[in-house]
């Protein structure tokens, strides 16, 4: 709980673009190593603005069960905000693939958690590797259906 409050305070002040960038990156690294996922609530109504420049993994849960694991890796183009908003849009931009269709159909049920990896090209590569690890570890139903 302390972790989430601390992170929210940092994000609210945009300190990850200030001199404290190194500290924040170490903070994110610690979060990843400790497997500290942050609940952002229901996907349909979650406030994604604070995560505009953050990249990493997200997982969707229904009734406490992990159904899908994905990554948000566009650090210069909206990060988690953009990726997760795609599922909520009226257009079908995120629903060209089976996973997007399934997620959109379950918007009311999905609880989303994020794992912030960072805000740079290095973090993109780390997020890609972590995504594979977590999918292998949890074997989410919607990831399997989308192959």
């Amino acid at each position: 709980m302390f972790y989430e409050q601390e992170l929210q305070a940092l994000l609210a002040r945009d300190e990850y673009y200030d001199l404290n960038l190194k500290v924040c990156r170490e903070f994110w690294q610690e979060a990843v190593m400790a497997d500290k996922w942050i609940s952002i609530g229901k996907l349909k109504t979650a406030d994604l603005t604070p995560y505009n420049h953050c990249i990493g993994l997200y997982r969707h849960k229904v009734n406490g069960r992990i159904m899908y694991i994905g990554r948000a890796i566009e650090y210069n183009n909206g990060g988690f905000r953009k990726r997760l908003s795609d599922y909520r849009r009226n257009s079908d931009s995120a629903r060209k693939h089976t996973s997007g269709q399934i997620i959109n159909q379950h918007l009311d049920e999905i609880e989303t958690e994020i794992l912030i990896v960072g805000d740079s090209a290095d973090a993109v590569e780390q997020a890609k590797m972590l995504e594979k690890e977590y999918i292998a570890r949890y074997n989410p139903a919607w990831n399997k259906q989308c192959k």
Side-chain angles (χ1 to χ4, degrees):
M1 185 63 158
F2 171 76
Y3 169 79
E4 289 183 35
Q5 292 170 347
E6 182 78 13
L7 181 60
Q8 292 293 338
L10 288 171
L11 292 171
R13 293 191 305 262
D14 268 351
E15 285 187 4
Y16 51 95
Y17 285 109
D18 291 344
L19 297 174
N20 293 325
L21 181 60
K22 184 175 184 264
V23 173
C24 291
R25 284 192 176 147
E26 289 171 5
F27 191 67
W28 290 330
Q29 187 68 19
E30 180 184 326
V32 170
M33 300 309 277
D35 200 28
K36 292 184 180 177
W37 292 79
I38 301 167
S39 174
I40 60 170
K42 293 276 187 193
L43 177 59
K44 186 173 186 173
T45 58
D47 178 12
L48 304 171
T49 307
Y51 310 104
N52 196 35
H53 301 287
C54 299
I55 60 173
L57 302 182
Y58 59 91
R59 63 186 180 192
H60 297 315
K61 292 181 171 183
V62 174
N63 297 324
R65 183 172 170 223
I66 298 171
M67 301 302 291
Y68 186 79
I69 294 174
R71 65 181 185 233
I73 56 173
E74 295 184 49
Y75 61 95
N76 285 328
N77 191 26
F80 282 110
R81 180 199 49 80
K82 175 171 184 318
R83 184 67 192 104
L84 295 174
S85 292
D86 285 346
Y87 295 118
R88 305 188 303 197
R89 294 191 207 299
N90 289 332
S91 72
D92 65 352
S93 63
R95 294 183 290 287
K96 294 178 183 173
H97 300 283
T98 306
S99 60
Q101 294 168 5
I102 293 170
I103 291 165
N104 184 263
Q105 292 168 2
H106 292 87
L107 278 178
D108 290 326
E109 305 162 64
I110 295 172
E111 293 282 337
T112 301
E113 297 175 339
I114 62 173
L115 181 66
I116 298 174
V117 176
D119 66 348
S120 67
D122 291 338
V124 168
E125 293 309 311
Q126 187 177 9
K128 288 178 180 180
M129 290 186 310
L130 285 170
E131 180 188 34
K132 290 177 188 174
E133 268 183 50
Y134 279 101
I135 289 172
R137 182 187 305 173
Y138 293 105
N139 201 20
W142 296 346
N143 288 89
K144 288 189 294 188
Q145 290 178 356
C146 303
K147 288 184 178 180

